[in-house]
Amino acid sequence: MAADKICSSCGKRLIGHGNTFFKCPKCGDYEIGRCDQCRDQSVPYECKKCGFIGP
């Protein structure tokens, strides 16, 4: 069974519409997940691999 994807900002499970996933802009290794609310409000996220913080 695959692990649930979660928002890198708020920790909410990412299911449904409006979510996005992308590789960390700094290291390019870690996948960042963002829920629609955190994206809309520009809540910061942190890469768990390299520590990069971005909105």
Side-chain angles (χ1 to χ4, degrees):
M1 185 165 124
D4 287 338
K5 294 192 176 201
I6 61 166
C7 177
S8 297
S9 298
C10 70
K12 180 171 93 173
R13 267 182 69 205
L14 297 176
I15 53 174
H17 301 285
N19 305 314
T20 190
F21 302 93
F22 54 93
K23 296 290 184 182
C24 172
K26 183 175 179 185
C27 70
D29 292 329
Y30 187 76
E31 184 177 63
I32 306 291
R34 303 272 281 154
C35 73
D36 57 343
Q37 284 183 313
C38 288
R39 286 176 43 216
D40 193 43
Q41 298 174 8
S42 299
V43 177
Y45 62 85
E46 183 175 357
C47 174
K48 295 198 187 297
K49 183 170 183 182
C50 73
F52 176 80
I53 297 174

